[in-house]
Amino acid sequence: MADFELDPGRCVLLVQDLQNDVIIEGGAFAESGSPTHAKEQNVVENAKELAAFCRGKGIPVIHVWYIVEPGAPGLKLNAPLFNGLKEAKALVRGTWGAAPADGLEAQNGDLIIEKMRMSAWQGTKLETMLAGLGRDTIIVTGAWTNMSIEHTSRTGADKGYYMVVPEDACSSMNADWHNASINYALQNVSTVTTCAEVKAALGG
């Protein structure tokens, strides 16, 4: 049993950046080691099962996809990460790389947000969507733990949302990067937990 409770009527589930280029062999960032860590974490299956569970509880599932237009117009190259995206021709709209990993496609009733930065908040309709849904508790899954997941969780905490991170539904480039985020920063801005504990906390 989880040592905390979650109200399904206040929750949403984010499935963030679990796209082919990010976590799958043959993707643009495969050499980073991310596909290996994603497999070690069983992240696709864990996120898939948690999403199905949440749908069964009436919890909105929001897919957050990093999408770059062909040629990367409008992608400001002010940081190495964004330069790397353009150089790798990664996450380009309409390509295999930008598509969600097999099993994590949006289902009927799911919502989709597109972004061009690490955080799910930056330049997106996420906060407007949450206000419309009347939800203030965000369960965050996806990749990479120390990038998108941490940035989204930090900003969400600052905005007053209750952030929940099931760490076995998140992955990074390797276990060191993942654990550095899980064991330090995320402990201070979110409830770090597991998929099993989230289900238990939701009355599962």
Side-chain angles (χ1 to χ4, degrees):
M1 295 293 292
D3 58 2
F4 62 99
E5 293 183 359
L6 294 171
D7 178 355
R10 299 176 67 172
C11 293
V12 299
L13 175 69
L14 293 192
V15 181
Q16 186 168 195
D17 296 5
L18 292 180
Q19 297 159 263
N20 291 323
D21 270 343
V22 181
I23 61 163
I24 300 299
E25 291 289 356
F29 299 122
E31 292 185 5
S32 71
S34 62
T36 298
H37 191 244
K39 289 176 184 175
E40 291 171 355
Q41 289 287 103
N42 198 30
V43 70
V44 171
E45 193 62 29
N46 289 343
K48 177 184 174 181
E49 290 180 3
L50 185 57
F53 179 88
C54 285
R55 291 184 192 104
K57 290 283 185 179
I59 297 169
V61 175
I62 303 175
H63 300 263
V64 183
W65 295 334
Y66 204 122
I67 299 293
V68 178
E69 303 299 339
L75 180 67
K76 190 169 184 180
L77 306 178
N78 61 303
L81 177 68
F82 307 129
N83 278 280
L85 273 169
K86 184 174 182 179
E87 290 168 5
K89 296 181 174 61
L91 300 167
V92 175
R93 184 184 299 282
T95 65
W96 172 86
D102 286 347
L104 293 175
E105 299 84 0
Q107 305 296 309
N108 288 338
D110 290 357
L111 301 165
I112 297 171
I113 286 175
E114 294 183 357
K115 63 171 188 169
M116 289 179 67
R117 288 295 179 209
M118 282 179 282
S119 172
W121 304 95
Q122 184 64 36
T124 76
K125 59 186 178 183
L126 177 57
E127 195 157 19
T128 301
M129 188 176 284
L130 292 170
L133 293 167
R135 308 279 169 146
D136 64 3
T137 301
I138 305 174
I139 305 164
V140 189
T141 68
W144 291 333
T145 317
N146 55 301
M147 296 287 190
S148 296
I149 305 309
E150 185 174 316
H151 279 256
T152 296
S153 298
R154 285 175 178 268
T155 301
D158 272 346
K159 288 177 176 289
Y161 292 89
Y162 178 38
M163 308 301 295
V164 180
V165 180
E167 67 88 15
D168 51 349
C170 302
S171 67
S172 189
M173 291 168 278
N174 55 55
D176 287 343
W177 278 105
H178 175 80
N179 291 330
S181 188
I182 287 295
N183 293 329
Y184 292 96
L186 281 169
Q187 295 286 338
N188 295 302
V189 297
S190 66
T191 295
V192 176
T193 183
T194 65
C195 290
E197 288 188 343
V198 167
K199 292 173 186 176
L202 288 165

